[in-house]
Amino acid sequence: MQRIPGVLLVTAACLASACSRPVSAQEMDDAELREGVLASIERAQQFLISRQLGNGSWQPSIVAKWEAGVSSLAVLALLNSGLPADHPAVAKGLDHLRRRNIPDQTYELAMMIMAFSAAGDPRDDGRIGTLADRLASYQHSTNNRDGVGKGAWGYGSEEGWWDNSNTQFALLGLREAAYAGIPVDEQVWRLAQEHWMRPQGGPRPIPAGGEFSNGWVYTGGRSAQGSGSMTVAGVAALTITSDFLRSGDGEGPQGITDCCEVDPQDAEVRQVIDGGIRWLSQHFQVRSNPGAGAWLLYYLYGLERAGRLTGTRFFGDHDWYREGARHLVSHQDIRSGSWVSQNEQDPVVGTSLALLFLSKGLSPVLINKIQFGPRRSDDGAPDASFWNVHPRDVSHLTTYISGREGWPRLVTWQSLDLEVAAREEGVAALLQAPVQYMSGAQDPGVLSDEEVNLLREYISQGGFLFAVQGCGSVDFDIGFRELITRMFPAGEFQLERLPATHDVYRSEFVWEADENAPELWGVDVGCRTAIIYAPYDHACRWDRWMRIDPPRRPAAVKLEIAKSMQVGVNVVAYATGRELADKLRTQSVVDLEEDDPLNRGRTTIARIRHTGGFDTAPNALQHLKLALEEHGIDLSPLSPTIPTTDPTLFDYAMVYMHGRKNFALTEEERDKLRAYLENGGFLFADACCGARQFDDSFRKLVEQIFGRPLERIPVEHELFNNPLANDIREVRRRIPQADGNEALTLQESVGEPVLEGIQIDGRYAIIYSKYDLSCALQRQATVACAGYPTEDAAKIGVNIVLYGLIQ
């Protein structure tokens, strides 16, 4: 055996020099920024808690008359930054707000609704309704003497004065009230939308075609002029009102008869929203409020909302969250953890606004909506008729998912220009979300070879693609099926109809066996179905979903929408296992280009070929390699696959096997494996997703070779607390729960990992996990996958490999 001296040299050299893989600038920036953001959030929480008075309130230092609004803002910031409603500071704040009289100011009414809604306390339902009724009654029903103001709000109930800041807050409060189940008259949304659509200086038509931009100011309509704080308000406000104003065209007693009829009024609103996004792209700043200078923290608070609600990651070339977060982290007061700006001198208000930006902007990005199609001549963007037939589909789906049991309080989405990603960031841009979503009514065959290759690489990195046919388009259906062939020209992966027994049909909602399960097609890659295609326009139904259905909506339409929402949730739950990462936790990109590693003296781990799915998680070792490099171990990127009878078996430091099916080795293969292990070799194995068939076969193999069963490795063993690696005496394990036809759910246990092995001469020559490590490492674990979350699987894998190397 030449293995041991070489391994020790490599290990010692790497530990001494902390050798590691090259880290991309984006990855390094994100890791450092994430650390700074989390520290800033914690310090801001501590500051706000320290400023809370004994009665549960926060006393403003400048705007004393708005104590209820400031206290509500502080509670809202603490809740959205991760503190639970029963946290002592939050609970005291909520109790104080409950004891207060109903305010008579627009800001305070809106902020109080948002605080109670975020707490999700049923005791506040009646109060939210009372607050919402008063707030809606303050909307101006007529224009003032200057001929403007109808549909807007001022500071209170008086008619006359109005401004876009009060109006924005009123809509934010009413939106949360509606989401809490409080009816809000449709006319309120309609008048507000007309207000935000009104051009400065009177009606003027939107230019037909071509690019245009528009901003908003404090007391004016939309125009080429504007300020950042009021333009983000306009973009968010119109996005909110349009969500509550659907014409109902194409809906009838028999269901939805026309998914793709264009609503001219809604199309005009979308144009104005896009114009606002262009204005922000042209004037983007995070150091000051563009067009105004003052009110920086208020502007950033609104910028987060506008970016999140419209699914915009970049305003122009600016990644708004990363740039804004860097600015806030670097300008937080070192001693107190607070923020103020030149004219925002109340630290409770300033800190609350900054905390809302940092925490809500950090929410997990669940879905990237793929932009594709021919480029427009005016601004070079992909033609929306290809990729955005239903503009609110993903927005509504993520809103529906947010806060469901087992999901984070807030998940978000963003649109992604596939051509730009292929040209610039590459697969890292796609890996910002666990799901890529593609829909349309035209042939996706317009994708370039570079874009197709990028999708294939994304799938190889453990990604997931969800496609939905729009408008019953035959062109999209044929084109998407051809796209799969372009992605996998060798035919190694095929698009096939999923059986009604597939886990996706019970990943959250359940379709009984005797029901007509929605038609879904899929491509199995690795541990799971990595591509799912729905040849039915669920996106239309998502687009029409509303938190509270319009009173005249037919029952058949409601049923269609409900079923399509359930399909969307199930596919996303299946794809993610509800295991989500915050926005700045960059997913690692493994090197899929296999070179010759042996000429550089690095340790190589070989994979054992067998008939039980030896390549189920083909990139698991590459992902484990990245985790090992953080501990100074530089493994070869190549993981050759060999039978145990291969003469080169004894050249490898260790061997690895995983799978999910029954298998058996021949007598010759068993003899060679025993000789390898008895001569200092090491085998690391796991059952993909806890597969019973593989587990049974592996246990039988061990008894055939050694005449004794696997033994449980005690937690006191050095493997569980390696000073050069991780303390894994306490990790999380995912345990799928399903009873008959009930939905798949996950329980999580905390304790030492269940590891078993075979000892030879006092060392473990085999270490085996009957619970999944490989699929988790490849980021392909599903709701039905019994095993460890990705982060803990990596820690366990690192400890096992390090143990094997030093034996």
Side-chain angles (χ1 to χ4, degrees):
M1 288 283 293
Q2 302 176 5
R3 177 178 75 90
I4 296 177
V7 169
L8 292 178
L9 285 173
V10 170
T11 305
C14 284
L15 290 174
S17 62
C19 53
S20 62
R21 67 185 176 94
V23 181
S24 71
Q26 174 72 61
E27 196 172 353
M28 184 178 297
D29 286 350
D30 276 1
E32 293 174 355
L33 180 58
R34 181 177 185 275
E35 183 178 345
V37 166
L38 294 177
S40 285
I41 288 173
E42 184 177 357
R43 294 179 64 226
Q45 290 172 332
Q46 292 170 352
F47 170 77
L48 289 178
I49 293 170
S50 73
R51 296 294 293 267
Q52 189 177 30
L53 301 180
N55 67 355
S57 71
W58 281 262
Q59 186 62 46
S61 60
I62 297 175
V63 286
K65 66 177 182 178
W66 288 336
E67 178 271 309
V70 172
S71 294
S72 298
L73 177 63
V75 168
L76 182 67
L78 292 174
L79 284 166
N80 277 281
S81 62
L83 298 188
D86 60 0
H87 183 278
V90 177
K92 282 174 60 179
L94 289 168
D95 284 341
H96 167 73
L97 295 175
R98 292 186 192 104
R99 293 193 300 268
R100 284 192 58 97
N101 293 329
I102 300 298
D104 58 4
Q105 296 289 312
T106 297
Y107 280 118
E108 294 192 306
L109 288 165
M111 291 307 311
M112 198 176 280
I113 290 172
M114 287 190 275
F116 287 142
S117 177
D121 188 342
R123 291 180 297 166
D124 297 320
D125 283 351
R127 180 172 288 265
I128 290 174
T130 302
L131 292 164
D133 287 345
R134 177 171 290 188
L135 183 57
S137 73
Y138 286 0
Q139 186 181 35
H140 292 191
S141 57
T142 59
N143 288 320
N144 62 18
R145 61 186 177 184
D146 296 324
V148 291
K150 184 178 180 180
W153 276 262
Y155 285 99
S157 60
E158 70 282 355
E159 292 278 346
W161 172 263
W162 64 271
D163 62 74
N164 283 329
S165 182
N166 272 297
T167 304
Q168 170 193 213
F169 272 93
L171 290 174
L172 293 173
L174 291 174
R175 176 182 186 262
E176 292 307 311
Y179 278 14
I182 307 301
V184 178
D185 194 299
E186 184 179 295
Q187 187 67 3
V188 172
W189 307 116
R190 191 168 305 285
L191 289 175
Q193 180 167 284
E194 291 171 358
H195 165 77
W196 288 100
M197 288 291 290
R198 188 175 295 117
Q200 185 78 32
R204 291 192 302 276
I206 295 175
E211 178 182 344
F212 77 103
S213 65
N214 54 261
W216 285 265
V217 292
Y218 183 57
T219 57
R222 59 179 178 84
S223 70
Q225 304 302 314
S227 69
S229 55
M230 291 298 96
T231 300
V232 294
V235 168
L238 284 177
T239 303
I240 291 169
T241 60
S242 64
D243 274 350
F244 289 97
L245 293 173
R246 300 312 306 268
S247 68
D249 292 345
E251 299 180 5
Q254 303 307 314
I256 299 174
T257 57
D258 188 345
C259 263
C260 296
E261 181 176 338
V262 176
D263 180 343
Q265 183 177 355
D266 186 59
E268 185 174 343
V269 172
R270 301 300 307 179
Q271 278 188 287
V272 173
I273 292 172
D274 290 344
I277 292 173
R278 289 193 187 95
W279 190 97
L280 291 167
S281 300
Q282 294 162 3
H283 300 85
F284 186 84
Q285 267 288 350
V286 294
R287 298 179 182 276
S288 66
N289 178 8
W295 309 106
L296 169 63
L297 298 172
Y298 175 57
Y299 155 64
L300 291 176
Y301 163 65
L303 180 66
E304 179 277 326
R305 183 167 48 255
R308 174 169 48 83
L309 292 182
T310 61
T312 301
R313 177 184 169 191
F314 293 100
F315 287 111
D317 296 327
H318 300 278
D319 188 322
W320 61 264
Y321 182 73
R322 286 171 173 79
E323 292 189 29
R326 288 190 189 98
H327 178 80
L328 288 174
V329 168
S330 63
H331 286 78
Q332 188 177 26
D333 186 273
I334 297 173
R335 291 182 294 276
S336 69
S338 66
W339 284 272
V340 294
S341 75
Q342 183 175 0
N343 70 317
E344 294 167 299
Q345 290 296 307
D346 189 310
V348 171
V349 173
T351 303
S352 297
L353 295 174
L355 185 54
L356 283 164
F357 175 95
L358 289 176
S359 54
K360 296 186 81 171
L362 196 61
S363 300
V365 180
L366 184 62
I367 301 173
N368 278 337
K369 184 173 182 177
I370 293 176
Q371 299 180 7
F372 69 97
R375 317 298 288 193
R376 297 197 304 243
S377 59
D378 54 356
D379 60 1
D383 186 343
S385 67
F386 273 74
W387 67 274
N388 206 26
V389 177
H390 304 301
R392 300 172 188 82
D393 49 6
V394 176
S395 173
H396 286 176
L397 182 59
T398 53
T399 299
Y400 183 83
I401 288 174
S402 291
R404 288 184 59 82
E405 185 176 355
W407 295 90
R409 178 197 298 267
L410 178 65
V411 294
T412 63
W413 67 286
Q414 60 192 19
S415 55
L416 179 139
D417 189 324
L418 195 60
E419 181 184 296
V420 172
R423 188 173 64 245
E424 296 179 5
E425 282 188 84
V427 74
L430 279 67
L431 287 170
Q432 294 223 352
V435 177
Q436 309 301 305
Y437 167 76
M438 171 182 283
S439 182
Q442 300 191 55
D443 184 359
V446 296
L447 266 61
S448 67
D449 289 343
E450 291 76 17
E451 292 169 295
V452 173
N453 290 339
L454 181 61
L455 288 175
R456 179 172 60 247
E457 183 182 0
Y458 169 72
I459 295 298
S460 298
Q461 295 283 350
F464 184 91
L465 175 62
F466 182 20
V468 174
Q469 178 191 35
C471 304
S473 168
V474 174
D475 289 341
F476 184 89
D477 183 77
I478 294 173
F480 184 78
R481 294 174 187 277
E482 291 176 348
L483 175 61
I484 299 300
T485 302
R486 289 178 66 192
M487 289 175 65
F488 307 109
E492 66 272 39
F493 303 114
Q494 303 284 333
L495 185 67
E496 298 177 343
R497 183 161 183 174
L498 301 181
T501 55
H502 193 283
D503 286 339
V504 74
Y505 290 113
R506 59 190 187 119
S507 58
E508 185 141 339
F509 298 96
V510 178
W511 276 270
E512 303 289 350
D514 58 349
E515 284 188 3
N516 191 12
E519 181 180 353
L520 295 172
W521 292 62
V523 178
D524 290 342
V525 180
C527 300
R528 64 173 178 183
T529 303
I531 300 173
I532 288 183
Y533 168 55
Y536 177 78
D537 199 350
H538 295 292
C540 160
R541 280 78 188 170
W542 303 340
D543 190 86
R544 290 171 180 262
W545 172 81
M546 300 174 76
R547 180 74 70 176
I548 299 177
D549 284 302
R552 294 175 298 279
R553 174 165 277 173
V557 173
K558 296 178 185 179
L559 181 60
E560 278 187 37
I561 292 172
K563 286 186 174 180
S564 286
M565 298 305 292
Q566 292 174 4
V567 170
V569 173
N570 273 35
V571 172
V572 175
Y574 173 81
T576 64
R578 303 187 195 91
E579 185 180 334
L580 306 176
D582 64 50
K583 189 170 187 172
L584 293 179
R585 190 182 287 276
T586 306
Q587 298 291 346
S588 57
V589 179
V590 300
D591 184 4
L592 301 178
E593 296 297 324
E594 295 185 348
D595 58 2
D596 178 11
L598 297 178
N599 61 0
R600 293 200 294 272
R602 291 185 291 179
T603 302
T604 303
I605 301 176
R607 292 181 292 180
I608 297 301
R609 185 186 300 276
H610 59 86
T611 57
F614 73 91
D615 210 23
T616 297
N619 298 318
L621 280 181
Q622 282 85 341
H623 286 284
L624 181 57
K625 173 184 180 294
L626 299 183
L628 283 160
E629 285 170 350
E630 295 177 6
H631 295 275
I633 305 301
D634 189 20
L635 293 182
S636 162
L638 181 62
S639 301
T641 301
I642 60 171
T644 61
T645 53
D646 192 299
T648 66
L649 174 66
F650 287 82
D651 294 335
Y652 297 107
M654 66 175 62
V655 293
Y656 158 80
M657 65 188 297
H658 69 274
R660 59 189 315 163
K661 301 176 183 177
N662 291 320
F663 73 94
L665 299 187
T666 66
E667 182 177 357
E668 182 185 6
E669 288 174 322
R670 295 196 300 270
D671 290 344
K672 293 293 185 182
L673 181 57
R674 178 170 53 249
Y676 168 77
L677 297 172
E678 289 176 344
N679 282 276
F682 180 80
L683 170 61
F684 164 28
D686 77 294
C688 288
C689 290
R692 180 66 179 270
Q693 289 181 326
F694 181 89
D695 182 66
D696 290 343
S697 296
F698 188 81
R699 293 178 186 281
K700 182 178 180 180
L701 171 67
V702 169
E703 294 210 36
Q704 287 175 326
I705 293 176
F706 293 103
R708 52 193 167 103
L710 290 162
E711 62 183 45
R712 178 79 176 263
I713 304 176
V715 70
E716 296 79 17
H717 190 273
E718 62 185 282
L719 169 68
F720 290 87
N721 190 19
N722 187 334
L724 300 177
N726 305 298
D727 182 349
I728 58 170
R729 289 174 294 182
E730 189 171 278
V731 297
R732 297 166 295 154
R733 180 159 59 87
R734 296 155 54 95
I735 307 169
Q737 302 288 311
D739 247 346
N741 289 320
E742 292 183 6
L744 286 170
T745 59
L746 280 171
Q747 288 187 354
E748 195 172 85
S749 70
V750 177
E752 75 267 20
V754 178
L755 299 175
E756 299 171 273
I758 287 289
Q759 290 194 77
I760 299 177
D761 298 330
R763 69 175 181 92
Y764 281 101
I766 297 175
I767 294 181
Y768 170 67
S769 172
K770 68 177 182 178
Y771 297 114
D772 176 77
L773 296 171
S774 297
C775 292
L777 286 167
Q778 191 159 303
R779 299 194 292 259
Q780 286 192 324
T782 68
V783 187
C785 193
Y788 303 91
T790 298
E791 184 176 353
D792 289 346
K795 291 178 181 179
I796 297 167
V798 164
N799 279 34
I800 292 173
V801 171
L802 280 176
Y803 174 82
L805 289 177
I806 63 178
Q807 296 309 301

